[in-house]
Amino acid sequence: QNNSALLVKVALLPSERVTSANTVVKDHKVLVSMPSGSNSFSWHSSLEKTGQIELLAATGEKLREIWQVAASPMWRVSGHGLPVINYYQHGRWLPQWQPWPGEKLTLDITRPGGAAGQTVTIDNSNISVTPGKRSCRVTLDMLVRSSHGGEHVITLPPGAKLRRVAINGQKQPVKLKQLLLTVPLAPGAQHIELEWQQPQHIGMVTATPAVHLGGNSVNCRINVNMPRERWILFTRGPVMGPAVLFWGVLLVIAVIAVLLGRYADTPLVWWHWLLLFAGLSQASLPALVPVAAWLILLGLRRKHQAGLTGVWRFNFTQMALVLLSVLALGAIVFGIQQGLLGLPQMQISGNHSSTWHLHWYQDRCAGFIPAAQVISVPMYIYRLLMLLWALWLALALLKWLQWGWECFSSGGLWRKPPPRAPRAKPVQHQQQPPEPKG
């Protein structure tokens, strides 16, 4: 602390310009006037942009200099001519020099060049397609991160009619020019929402539109919302997506039908079994069990009737067949009702998909969103096929019921147990009168 007034002249750098008010500069030197009792004096100044700064410690002045350089991370500063006393102070990079009078320090200042790479990253994209009779509605959600502001170009498919563009929930007055949509980007992350209509009516093959996101992306999701009046037969797209499992079930049914047609003692040939099981599978797969067991056991009943010798064994078999007949006929009636009035059970599954909501996922995409396709036909074709199946089943069931009654009644319908033997009456012994006394 100063006990008396002090006047010191501090030389400025060649390109230094003092910007602080109330600071006296004379002959390119700052006149530092410190009254008694003060211990600090400071000013602010600016330097011209340069790649090198030379610092020279003053001589002949009664002062001791300490130099510190606080540079932002975008600049690289290296000094030579003097050793560095400290590199870090208070947890930050702050090099410090303590020169003697007349010593010189040269600072080289450079700005590192940017690393090669993309400036825009698409973290995820979600496209939803809702087909209609005359057009389809498409929505696209994207999460985009940009290292600096600029413009991002998204290419929409031919015929697209843009309806809405929103960035972070705010609508933007962006227009579509020759299928190119230019979206303004700000530094940081932003959520982009697009909605447009596609002049593409729903047909046998429904494909998702070809959209170029303007760069590589990750976490791409594709959603197709099919109307309920369509019968979905097959799906195609990325590996992680829905699959129609019914065709695999039908293959297993075909193998079982061939085995039953060859080895089961019934009037049904293999294609009878195939049609029967294929129609009932649209109602419920477990319904196939009682129907198949009913037909097979009726054939075994006629074939092995000679082995049913016991009365109770024969009657128990008849009661079991009656109960099984009720279950089988109930399953057939339920299958016909579901086929004519219900919806097809194509067992669509995979990636949280359901009957009419199909979802695909791909982890990495190179520009274009992966294509997905849905093969479907109108629902009335399914209704017509099920009607023909129901008529065939009704005619075939008349013959099967006649054959089943012959199997059920061969050897009799019910056997009465043999009459019980009469219970023997106990012999009563006559009590003799007592002999007279005397």
Side-chain angles (χ1 to χ4, degrees), residues 10 17 20 62 79 86-88 119 129 167 174 190 226 247 285 324 363 365 388 406 421 426 432:
V10 179
R17 299 291 182 267
S20 299
K62 296 180 179 180
N86 290 319
Y87 280 102
Y88 289 89
T119 59
V129 181
I167 300 178
V174 180
Q190 43 247 303
M226 296 293 293
W247 304 113
L285 285 176
L324 189 58
D363 54 351
C365 307
L388 296 176
E406 294 176 358
Q432 295 180 1

Side-chain angles (χ1 to χ4, degrees), residues 10 119 185 246 332:
V10 179
T119 59
L185 295 181
F246 171 74
I332 292 175

